[in-house]
Amino acid sequence: MQKKKRILLKIGSNTLTKETDNISRGKIEDIANQIAKLQDTYEFIIVSSGAIAVAKQFVKLESKQKDVFVKQALASIGQPHLIRIYQEIFREYGLLSSQCLLSYSDFEKEESRINIMNTINVLVNNNYIPIINENDTVATDEIKFGDNDKLGALTASLLGVDLFIIATNTNGIYTKSSLEIGIPETIKTVSDFNKLNREVVSSKSSHGSGGMQSKIEAAKVTKDANIETWIVNGLEDNFIVNAMENKVPFTKIK
């Protein structure tokens, strides 16, 4: 049997909500449908944001504490709901899934790194799709900084995946000059990081804490690990398959 290629798919809050105030079950169905189609050739690991967005659908917390602690509490409420939605929908497509909560400090200790790698390998080898999120209840990095982009990159590098896909709400990275005239043009292939950094316009996503700069920083991590990164428009249906077939514009960082 030919060895399956391993993809780490990072999905941000804007993609999961389809830029609304609610998690889109249709988007998770779209992801499940694509994985089911590709499962004979590829195996998937998912890094998913969205716990806070899910919680906001159910509760409104009042607190005198700092905003970050409210977000941590919302993440604690939303995470079980997020995983339940994934499991319900994935099961309909014959897919098994599991939950893994990690924080950046886990990647700093050799013993933790080995444990992460061994656990995820056991899951994937037994046809389970690990769904990873930042452990926001104890760590605030994702809330404050990068909407799981860095977590996805660190996990991809640790596992030595074949491809890192970041699903976002744009057709990849646009040239700065095209944005200035209001006609976005996708940078299709990147090999020069210094040149790329000059093109990036600093912005934050509406639901998440990332933005294009955090995606570039994540891609730098995977580039150093010799892993190719694709930045694709996850709002579109069938976005993984369409990117593989070059039917849509996206950015490929080699």
Side-chain angles (χ1 to χ4, degrees):
M1 285 178 65
Q2 190 175 0
K3 189 174 181 290
K4 292 182 183 181
K5 289 191 173 181
R6 186 173 288 188
I7 293 175
L8 192 139
L9 172 64
K10 185 267 166 180
I11 309 162
S13 301
N14 267 6
T15 302
L16 273 185
T17 60
K18 294 190 83 170
E19 299 191 307
T20 69
D21 291 329
N22 298 305
I23 291 291
S24 168
R25 293 182 72 95
K27 177 45 61 183
I28 296 179
E29 286 175 4
D30 175 48
I31 292 163
N33 182 43
Q34 292 179 83
I35 291 174
K37 285 179 184 172
L38 296 167
Q39 64 182 336
D40 290 341
T41 314
Y42 297 93
E43 54 193 24
F44 283 82
I45 296 154
I46 294 174
V47 170
S48 175
S49 302
I52 293 172
V54 174
K56 285 179 178 177
Q57 294 175 214
F58 298 103
V59 297
K60 182 172 175 58
L61 294 185
E62 299 296 336
S63 175
K64 294 176 183 176
Q65 300 290 338
K66 289 182 181 177
D67 185 46
V68 69
F69 298 124
V70 176
K71 287 184 175 178
Q72 283 181 303
L74 286 169
S76 174
I77 294 165
Q79 183 64 28
H81 289 290
L82 179 65
I83 287 298
R84 176 180 53 78
I85 294 167
Y86 267 112
Q87 288 187 319
E88 285 175 0
I89 292 171
F90 275 35
R91 196 181 300 123
E92 291 172 10
Y93 287 83
L95 302 172
L96 301 169
S97 57
S98 67
Q99 172 181 264
C100 299
L101 293 177
L102 302 176
S103 57
Y104 295 125
S105 60
D106 294 327
F107 291 86
E108 294 168 0
K109 305 168 197 161
E110 184 61 24
E111 186 180 355
S112 297
R113 287 164 56 86
I114 291 168
N115 289 341
I116 293 166
M117 190 162 50
N118 289 340
T119 301
I120 291 177
N121 282 334
V122 168
L123 288 166
V124 173
N125 291 339
N126 284 277
N127 298 316
Y128 276 80
I129 299 165
I131 298 173
I132 300 166
N133 199 356
E134 168 91 25
N135 190 0
D136 287 325
T137 307
V138 297
T140 60
D141 299 21
E142 185 253 348
I143 288 171
K144 289 196 283 190
F145 300 117
D147 198 28
N148 276 339
D149 294 320
K150 184 181 174 187
L151 183 66
L154 288 170
T155 307
S157 301
L158 177 63
L159 297 170
V161 303
D162 297 288
L163 178 62
F164 178 39
I165 298 177
I166 300 176
T168 186
N169 58 345
T170 63
N171 295 329
I173 304 167
Y174 300 136
T175 64
K176 190 178 283 188
S177 58
S178 71
L179 287 174
E180 285 169 356
I181 61 171
I183 308 172
E185 180 188 340
T186 300
I187 300 170
K188 292 185 178 174
T189 307
V190 173
S191 51
D192 184 340
F193 248 86
N194 292 327
K195 186 178 177 184
L196 180 64
N197 275 320
R198 291 194 294 271
E199 293 285 357
V200 174
V201 175
S202 180
S203 65
K204 292 280 184 184
S205 56
S206 56
H207 276 289
S209 54
M212 202 48 73
Q213 185 62 49
S214 76
K215 289 161 182 55
I216 301 304
E217 289 165 8
K220 177 70 167 64
V221 172
T222 48
K223 183 177 184 291
D224 290 344
N226 205 28
I227 295 167
E228 190 167 296
T229 298
W230 293 3
I231 300 177
V232 304
N233 191 338
L235 299 178
E236 301 293 333
D237 289 342
N238 217 36
F239 63 95
I240 304 168
V241 173
N242 284 343
M244 287 178 173
E245 296 175 354
N246 280 309
K247 290 181 177 177
V248 290
F250 69 98
T251 299
K252 187 182 289 188
I253 302 172
K254 295 196 169 184

